[in-house]
Amino acid sequence: MLSQRHDPIVAVATAPGRAAVGIVRVSGRDLRPLVLALFGQMLEPRVASYRPFADARGAPIDHGLALYFPAPHSFTGEDVLELQAHGGPVVLQLVLARCLELASLSPDPEGPPVLPGLRLAQPGEFALRAFLNDKIDLVQAEAIADLIDASTEAAARSASRALDGEFSADIAGLQNALTQLRMLVEATLDFPEEEIDFLQKADASGQLARLHRALDGLLQKTRQGVLLRDGMRVVIAGQPNAGKSSLLNALAGVELAIVTPVPGTTRDRVQGTVQIDGVPVHIVDTAGLRDSQDAVEQIGIARTWEAVAQADALVFLHDLSRASQPHYQAQDEEIAQGLARVLQSGVRVIHVWNKADLSTDSAPCEGLRVSAKSGAGLQDLRAALLQAAGWQALEGTVTIARTRHVECLRQVAVHVQTAAVLLAQNAQQLELLAEELRLAQAQLSAITGAMTPDDLLGVIFSKFCIGK
């Protein structure tokens, strides 16, 4: 896309399928010839005009609204033309084909085409041009895709805040603080013979400490933003007939998995997504863990262990009605040993005792007592899942974020901490201090896209919808 960034582009900008309204969007350096070819006259900028969209014979394909946004006052920073027609797939494809057809024609037999080089846009190409033309930064561009893909209301609102520039403003604040510190260090390096100690007079160590605190706060918010975007993967594991499928259905509120009294009913993974306080939680029901001679069940058990290895948190489900049986206890202990070998480091295991409605045993047990049948204890389980994910309610302040943002901020924190150590240790290491501050600033620039490799841009924008 970067090598073709100056080509005029066109695409259907609305989702596939039938709808009341559909949009064909065109972007390029100068769309006036195309506007004239389509309508025979120029359109008033930023004013909706009701027009026929005609085919090559002059017969109307449809009647709709046309809007012309001259550069630089458009989403992409280039000329943009939007044709809003009825949202049938055939109608939109005809309008799209007519734009491409007109672009290749010449109003003068000896003159150039109306809009040479007009081609179909690639996924994310409109947003990429908005980024390259400084209409939005990289965080805001990513927020567009995140807003479209948001699976909960909280995620949508957080993506909207990122699109409005809240996260970018936080990054800009850190950038300004780093710039001030770099100016002080450079002044000290440039005038070593001066009696004035620029760093001491400006309280550089105090500035670094305040910067580190601000960075910690932003890192915490960013981790919450990643949770809102990606959610967490929770795997339910345990012996057959402990109620894993019933628990999945109870948490999801719908019948996602088949439930029978027959042990081993679940043969493969079944996944459902629920939201808990706005956080998407992807819950995976698995085949019961036991020794089995059934070839199909063995495959299901192997997939259970694969799911366990990929879990962000694990619900180890126990059957409270069988808790006192020695054989059942031995099987649970064997499963616990297997989980310890397979689980990734740091994954939280939540012990849950199901079928509390069937048990009269009041003896204390490690974990939560629930009843998938009656719903008792499920709210406590939801709270435990959020705690396992590290979620903290920061309503109104969290902006949606991505893992790459967290990694960049972690690197910034490392460089800032190293700079603080260098400043405290030896004033003769100012060159190293200056370099650490520069590296920290470069990591912040990578978040907003001020310093981002082209290959990373390609990966980010290729995941967008066509027409966005």
Side-chain angles (χ1 to χ4, degrees):
M1 285 189 289
L2 290 172
S3 63
Q4 301 172 301
R5 58 175 293 189
H6 298 305
D7 293 350
I9 54 175
V10 61
V12 177
T14 42
R18 292 183 296 174
V21 177
I23 299 174
V24 174
R25 177 180 292 157
V26 190
S27 181
R29 287 185 164 184
D30 185 3
L31 300 185
R32 288 175 297 177
L34 180 62
V35 174
L36 287 171
L38 279 168
F39 305 113
Q41 64 183 84
M42 284 304 299
L43 301 175
E44 185 177 352
R46 295 176 295 282
V47 174
S49 299
Y50 183 68
R51 303 274 176 165
F53 304 148
D55 62 15
R57 299 186 304 274
I61 299 169
D62 195 6
H63 288 73
L65 297 179
L67 294 102
Y68 173 55
F69 302 91
H73 306 294
S74 70
F75 171 65
T76 64
E78 303 173 329
D79 280 8
V80 169
L81 176 66
E82 288 194 355
L83 306 176
Q84 301 183 7
H86 292 95
V90 174
V91 172
L92 295 176
Q93 287 301 318
L94 288 173
V95 173
L96 177 68
R98 182 56 178 160
C99 290
L100 290 167
E101 179 185 27
L102 279 174
S104 63
L105 298 177
S106 172
D108 181 349
E110 297 182 358
V114 168
L115 194 61
L118 180 66
R119 58 173 175 80
L120 293 173
Q122 299 178 45
E125 196 164 3
F126 289 97
L128 174 61
R129 293 193 177 193
F131 166 70
L132 294 174
N133 293 325
D134 295 324
K135 304 298 288 186
I136 55 176
D137 63 27
L138 191 53
V139 169
Q140 291 171 301
E142 291 170 315
I144 295 172
D146 294 336
L147 185 58
I148 294 170
D149 294 335
S151 58
T152 68
E153 180 183 349
R157 292 185 181 277
S158 296
S160 181
R161 283 193 289 270
L163 183 56
D164 285 340
E166 284 192 19
F167 189 27
S168 302
D170 290 336
I171 297 298
L174 295 176
Q175 286 276 30
N176 292 336
L178 278 169
T179 299
Q180 181 65 26
L181 279 166
R182 290 185 67 188
M183 288 171 55
L184 292 172
V185 174
E186 295 296 337
T188 304
L189 284 170
D190 289 342
F191 303 101
E193 71 282 354
E194 296 290 335
E195 295 182 359
I196 301 174
D197 188 334
F198 295 103
L199 294 177
Q200 184 176 5
K201 186 176 181 180
D203 187 25
S205 59
Q207 289 190 44
L208 271 174
R210 289 189 291 273
L211 176 61
H212 204 279
R213 287 194 296 271
L215 188 58
D216 284 344
L218 182 57
L219 193 51
Q220 180 187 9
K221 288 168 54 178
T222 305
R223 290 192 184 102
Q224 306 297 294
V226 172
L227 266 178
L228 278 179
R229 179 181 184 270
D230 298 335
M232 65 179 299
R233 182 179 174 87
V234 177
V235 173
I236 305 174
Q239 294 189 48
N241 222 24
K244 297 182 294 299
S245 297
S246 297
L247 182 60
L248 169 64
N249 292 342
L251 288 170
V254 294
E255 297 293 322
L256 295 176
I258 298 173
V259 176
T260 74
V262 180
T265 298
T266 301
R267 297 297 185 96
D268 203 353
R269 292 171 291 190
V270 179
Q271 179 171 316
T273 298
V274 303
Q275 62 164 310
I276 305 175
D277 289 354
V279 178
V281 180
H282 313 295
I283 303 176
V284 183
D285 175 28
T286 60
L289 296 170
R290 66 173 176 180
D291 293 329
S292 174
Q293 302 304 313
D294 186 303
V296 177
E297 189 174 0
Q298 287 176 351
I299 294 173
I301 291 170
R303 292 184 177 181
T304 295
W305 288 115
E306 291 174 3
V308 167
Q310 299 168 358
D312 297 319
L314 183 116
V315 171
F316 188 175
L317 195 64
H318 310 274
D319 186 343
L320 194 56
S321 66
R322 292 183 283 167
S324 60
Q325 300 175 12
H327 177 70
Y328 182 82
Q329 294 173 359
Q331 287 293 103
D332 259 10
E333 180 59 34
E334 185 177 336
I335 292 173
Q337 293 173 2
L339 293 175
R341 291 191 298 269
V342 173
L343 281 173
Q344 299 182 46
S345 176
V347 173
R348 171 88 178 273
V349 178
I350 304 171
H351 291 271
V352 177
W353 296 84
N354 190 28
K355 305 184 184 180
D357 55 306
L358 299 179
S359 175
T360 58
D361 185 3
S362 59
C365 53
E366 179 190 354
L368 302 172
R369 287 177 180 244
V370 304
S371 170
K373 183 177 181 180
S374 69
L378 291 186
Q379 194 56 38
D380 291 338
L381 175 56
R382 293 186 182 99
L385 290 173
L386 289 182
Q387 184 180 13
W391 174 254
Q392 298 176 3
L394 301 171
E395 184 62 33
T397 63
V398 175
T399 56
I400 209 159
R402 301 189 174 203
T403 302
R404 77 171 193 90
H405 302 154
V406 172
E407 292 305 316
C408 286
L409 288 174
R410 282 176 178 165
Q411 291 299 317
V412 174
V414 169
H415 292 305
V416 168
Q417 182 61 36
T418 304
V421 171
L422 289 170
L423 182 62
Q425 283 180 346
N426 193 341
Q428 302 302 315
Q429 302 186 71
L430 292 182
E431 291 85 356
L432 297 177
L433 172 59
E435 179 64 9
E436 291 296 333
L437 296 177
R438 186 192 68 79
L439 292 172
Q441 203 160 27
Q443 289 291 336
L444 288 177
S445 297
I447 294 177
T448 57
M451 294 176 58
T452 302
D454 289 351
D455 55 351
L456 177 59
L457 294 180
V459 170
I460 290 172
F461 285 98
S462 66
K463 299 183 184 299
F464 279 50
C465 307
I466 292 178
K468 292 297 180 186

